[in-house]
Amino acid sequence: MSKDVALVLSSGGARGLAHIGAIEELQAQDYRITSIAGCSMGALIGGVYAAGKLEEFREWMKTVDRKKIFELTDFSLSINHIVKGTRIIEAIMEFVPDVPIEDLPIPYCAVATDWKSGHEVVFRKGSLFQAIRASISLPIFYEPVRRNDMILIDGGVTNPIPMNRVTRHKGDILVGVDVSGHDYLAQWEKMNKLAGMQKHDKSLKAKLLDMIIPDNIEFNYYTLLSRTSSLMIRQNSILMAKLMKPDVLVDIQMSRYGGFDYDKSERIITIGRQKTQQALKIFTR
C-alpha cells in the first residue's frame, strides 16, 4: 500500500488547529505528504507545513492567550471589515519567511473567493503569505485582499475543502481533514438517548443543550448569520467528499471549541491527532 499522501485541509477558524495533529499523526505512522491543498485555516497550516515550519508554529501557538489574541487584532473603522489582518500575518512571518509557492519543496495551493465574480481563485504560485492572507479573509471580519481586479475573501465561501485542487501523483492516497462540521443535532439526540428524557425533565434538557451549544448561543442577528454560514460551508464540504471520494476522510465535528478559540491550541491539536489515528485505523483494516 502506498504511503504517499495528497493532503487536503479544510477551513474552520481555530478548529483548524486540529490540522496540526492530523499532520503529526500521518508522520508518526510513516505517511509521506507529497502535496497539500488548503482553505482558510487549512491554507495557513498547510502553507506553514510546506515551508517546513510547522513545529515552530505549534510552539508559537502555545504562547497565544486571550491577551495576545487582542494584541494581534488590528481593529479597523472600515465599513466592510472589523480587522485589518496585517498584524497576525506579520507575527507569523517572523518565524515563517515568505517564499514563492513554486519554490516550496512540495506542491501546494490555497483557495480564495473573488467577491466580485463569485468564482473560486486557486493560488499555485506567487507569494505564500499573499495566498494565505486571501484564503483566510473571513467576510466582514477580515479586510478583503485586493489583487488585480479582484476582491478576495475566504475560500470557504466556494470550496471549504478543496479536494479537487490538490496535486495528485500516481498511486497516492487522498486524505481530507474536515473541521467545518457542527453536528449539534446528532449530539443532542445522543444526549437525549443517554439521559432517557425525550418527554420530560425540561430543566435537565436545557442544561444539556447549554453543554452542546457553546456560550449559551442565543437567536439573534449575529448567531443567525454565523450559524447559517456554517451550515452552508458544511453542506459544501459534504458534497465535495461525495464527489471526490477520498481514501481517508478525517471528519472532526466540534461543538466544544469555536472558530476563535486560538488560546486552546494544544487541546484542539490533540483532537486532530486522535481523530486521524481513528480514521487511519479504519483505512488500514
Side-chain angles (χ1 to χ4, degrees), residues 5-10 19-20 22-23 26 32-39 41-51 54 101 104-111 122-124 128 162-163 165-169 172-175 177:
V5 168
L7 182 62
V8 185
L9 306 177
S10 79
H19 294 320
I20 298 174
I23 291 171
L26 285 166
R32 296 178 296 273
I33 299 170
T34 56
S35 60
I36 195 162
C39 173
M41 192 62 176
L44 172 57
I45 300 298
V48 169
Y49 168 77
L54 190 63
I101 292 173
L104 292 170
I106 62 172
Y108 164 86
C109 74
V111 299
V122 183
F123 289 84
R124 296 189 185 275
L128 172 63
M163 296 184 198
R165 301 305 180 192
V166 69
T167 298
R168 300 297 302 276
H169 300 96
D172 65 12
I173 300 165
L174 179 59
V175 177
V177 185

Side-chain angles (χ1 to χ4, degrees), residues 1 58-59 73 119 125 137 164 175 193 211 224 270:
M1 182 184 69
R58 179 175 181 172
E59 290 301 311
T73 304
H119 294 163
K125 59 182 181 179
S137 295
N164 59 333
V175 177
K193 186 176 180 180
M211 291 169 61
L224 178 60
T270 298

Side-chain angles (χ1 to χ4, degrees), residues 214-234:
D215 300 326
N216 299 318
I217 191 168
E218 296 179 356
F219 189 68
N220 55 43
Y221 288 114
Y222 171 76
T223 57
L224 178 60
L225 288 172
S226 177
R227 187 71 173 272
T228 301
S229 175
S230 294
L231 290 171
M232 290 190 294
I233 288 172
R234 176 61 174 170

Side-chain angles (χ1 to χ4, degrees), residues 261-278:
D261 283 332
Y262 293 100
D263 58 326
K264 300 175 178 64
S265 62
E266 287 300 299
R267 281 175 271 178
I268 296 173
I269 289 169
T270 298
I271 292 172
R273 185 153 192 171
Q274 292 171 342
K275 293 292 186 179
T276 303
Q277 186 178 63
Q278 293 168 9

